[in-house]
Amino acid sequence: MALAIEASDGRVVKTTGDGMMAVFPTAVRAAAATIAAQSSLADEPFFMRPPYDLSRRQGGKPLAVVFETPYCAPCDELHSVTLERPEVQAALKPFDLARFGLGVRTELVAPDGAKVKADAWARDLRVTYTPAIVFFDAGGREIFRIDAYLRPFHVASAFEYVASGAYKTHSFAQYRNQKA
């Protein structure tokens, strides 16, 4: 993110955890830095493409939304290690998958049908750590989330936990222990 700010003649004036506050000579330069930062997120062929309509319909696929930030080592490892594993890719198949940069103002239709910006929606969901994966059922309700970097086995297990419906009767720890 700092590189995108500097490339747009901006200056970082404050950092807060994995966030930054910066100033720019013009609004156009600020927008350019935002676009550069968003484009630096790793892409995957299975992520939904715009326009982002995440609304759910009964009988449809569950939804998993990945929130990331640029220059995030755990986010990079999610892509370079976890999402490359065949068992994880198999576990993703029953889902619609979307990905948003934390703090980016991309327009979307949320699972409940509301039109929102991704940054406001992430705040409403209380997403504060990246990578985060938030799962929604076919009715658009949040049912599970991962707010930490997890190893491939645990990520695959989380997707299988939601896809199987086990979240309705068991905690994730119980489900994972039964699989082990």
Side-chain angles (χ1 to χ4, degrees):
M1 180 67 114
L3 294 175
I5 292 168
E6 290 173 24
S8 295
D9 297 325
R11 185 173 51 89
V12 175
V13 294
K14 183 177 181 179
T15 59
T16 57
D18 62 357
M20 292 183 184
M21 183 187 327
V23 295
F24 297 89
T26 67
V28 171
R29 297 288 179 126
T34 301
I35 291 167
Q38 172 67 13
S39 65
S40 68
L41 296 176
D43 197 14
E44 300 292 348
F46 43 76
F47 286 145
M48 297 171 73
R49 302 289 178 234
Y52 297 105
D53 183 352
L54 309 181
S55 58
R56 303 287 89 193
R57 288 153 189 78
Q58 290 298 338
K61 287 182 167 185
L63 171 70
V65 180
V66 179
F67 290 95
E68 300 179 293
T69 52
Y71 312 108
C72 160
C75 300
D76 294 342
E77 190 171 335
L78 175 71
H79 290 274
S80 66
V81 176
T82 303
L83 296 176
E84 294 295 317
R85 300 286 286 272
E87 67 272 22
V88 173
Q89 289 185 4
L92 301 177
K93 290 196 182 304
F95 290 84
D96 285 331
L97 278 103
R99 189 272 326 265
F100 299 101
L102 198 61
V104 176
R105 299 184 48 80
T106 304
E107 292 186 5
L108 61 93
V109 177
D112 64 3
K115 290 184 179 183
V116 296
K117 303 249 190 230
D119 62 339
W121 186 49
R123 278 193 305 277
D124 290 347
L125 292 172
R126 292 182 165 69
V127 174
T128 58
Y129 181 85
T130 59
I133 305 173
V134 184
F135 295 86
F136 298 86
D137 66 11
R141 290 179 306 116
E142 180 182 340
I143 52 175
F144 187 66
R145 72 168 54 203
I146 299 170
D147 279 321
Y149 175 79
L150 297 178
R151 292 295 195 201
F153 167 78
H154 294 104
V155 172
S157 294
F159 277 88
E160 292 163 358
Y161 172 68
V162 172
S164 70
Y167 67 88
K168 296 174 185 172
T169 58
H170 295 83
S171 71
F172 181 57
Q174 291 169 329
Y175 176 79
R176 196 183 72 238
N177 289 339
Q178 288 176 351
K179 283 187 66 163

